[in-house]
Amino acid sequence: MAGKVNHDYHILEPDIWPLIGSISALTFTSGMVLYMHEMANAGLVLGAGVIGLIATFFSWFSNIVKEAQRGDHTPVVQLHLRYGMILFIASEVMFFVGWFWSWFDFALFPSTISEVVGGQFPPKAIEAVMDPFSLPLLNTLILLCSGTTVTWAHHSLIHGDREGLKKGLWLTVILGVLFTSIQAYEYAHAPFGFGGNTYSSAFYMATGFHGFHVLVGTIFLIVCLVRAYKGHFTPRQHFGFEAAAWYWHFVDVVWLFLFVVVYVWGGWGAPIH
């Protein structure tokens, strides 16, 4: 046809789930605020938000997988999916910047909150801190190894080695579960609780949210493993796996910084548990 322009993209039918997801996220945060202020119907609002988010995760992400398998993820679509993942990881970086900012504020300027910490950091209320070269160091080695195995899986996929892809993903998932298990054991035997002072609160918020990200990343990789067994992903089209690998490397880097700043530097000079 004269005047026809060929593009390497096409228009998809609009999906309702991004809208439902945004409404559910607003409902969830509103429910959290109501719950923290012990207001009426807080549990109902919070529960509705959680249900909406879980439904969005399953439905929206499954639709994206179906689009990929139909061939709808053209080079232009894949490029913009990469942009979206980069912006998402950037937002996660800023999320952790907030926790590290508070940690440095408490640690470098303890005299400004002397009535709480006694003018020192860790505070006087902290009788002992975690030994950074015990379980935390072991978890550091585990995450570094998991970064290697996920890279092996990615390299295998690019070169058409499906067995290497599966083995690399299996090892990464196992290491992720091992990391989470060790951190749970560490929390159960920690010499200090969550609240009461700035050190413990900042410690658990930073390490706990990182642990949550490890859990999310592990689920992300399990989904990729299931898709690998179903024959999904090709050397030229595998954004779902690539996004999971990016996210996992982000988790690794955050932990390295957290290990140095929180475990080693943050408890320097304090009694070891």
Side-chain angles (χ1 to χ4, degrees), residues 13-229:
E13 289 295 325
D15 195 338
I16 191 63
W17 286 106
L19 176 61
I20 295 177
S22 61
I23 294 174
S24 300
L26 177 61
T27 305
F28 172 76
T29 53
S30 300
M32 288 294 293
V33 172
L34 294 175
Y35 177 79
M36 292 176 184
H37 288 81
E38 299 180 352
M39 300 182 70
N41 299 319
L44 182 63
V45 176
L46 182 59
V50 171
I51 293 172
L53 286 174
I54 293 175
T56 300
F57 293 155
F58 279 94
S59 300
W60 188 11
F61 294 166
S62 66
N63 288 345
I64 294 175
V65 171
K66 292 175 183 176
E67 291 172 3
Q69 294 307 111
R70 287 199 307 262
D72 292 332
H73 288 178
T74 61
V76 171
V77 174
Q78 292 184 54
L79 176 64
H80 289 84
L81 286 173
R82 287 182 172 86
Y83 286 157
M85 191 65 191
I86 290 171
L87 290 175
F88 171 70
I89 292 177
S91 71
E92 292 288 279
V93 170
M94 297 311 298
F95 178 82
F96 279 99
V97 165
W99 302 124
F100 286 120
W101 188 300
S102 66
W103 181 269
F104 280 116
D105 188 33
F106 298 147
L108 295 175
F109 307 103
S111 60
T112 60
I113 47 175
S114 58
E115 71 280 0
V116 179
V117 301
Q120 68 181 47
F121 195 85
K124 293 180 178 179
I126 299 295
E127 298 180 356
V129 298
M130 301 283 193
D131 183 0
F133 301 108
S134 180
L135 293 180
L137 179 59
L138 176 60
N139 262 349
T140 301
L141 297 175
I142 289 172
L143 274 190
L144 289 175
C145 289
S146 71
T148 303
T149 56
V150 78
T151 302
W152 172 34
H154 193 190
H155 181 83
S156 298
L157 174 58
I158 292 174
H159 290 82
D161 181 6
R162 305 290 301 185
E163 288 304 312
L165 167 65
K166 295 172 185 176
K167 291 176 182 177
L169 279 173
W170 266 113
L171 287 174
T172 308
V173 169
I174 292 171
L175 290 171
V177 173
L178 181 60
F179 176 93
T180 302
S181 301
I182 291 175
Q183 189 166 44
Y185 178 86
E186 178 186 83
Y187 280 1
H189 296 81
F192 49 85
F194 177 81
N197 58 76
T198 54
Y199 179 91
S200 59
S201 296
F203 173 88
Y204 280 110
M205 291 301 289
T207 59
F209 268 106
H210 175 269
F212 173 75
H213 282 73
V214 172
L215 181 61
V216 171
T218 304
I219 296 173
F220 204 167
L221 291 169
I222 290 173
V223 172
C224 290
L225 180 60
V226 173
R227 293 186 63 190
Y229 274 96

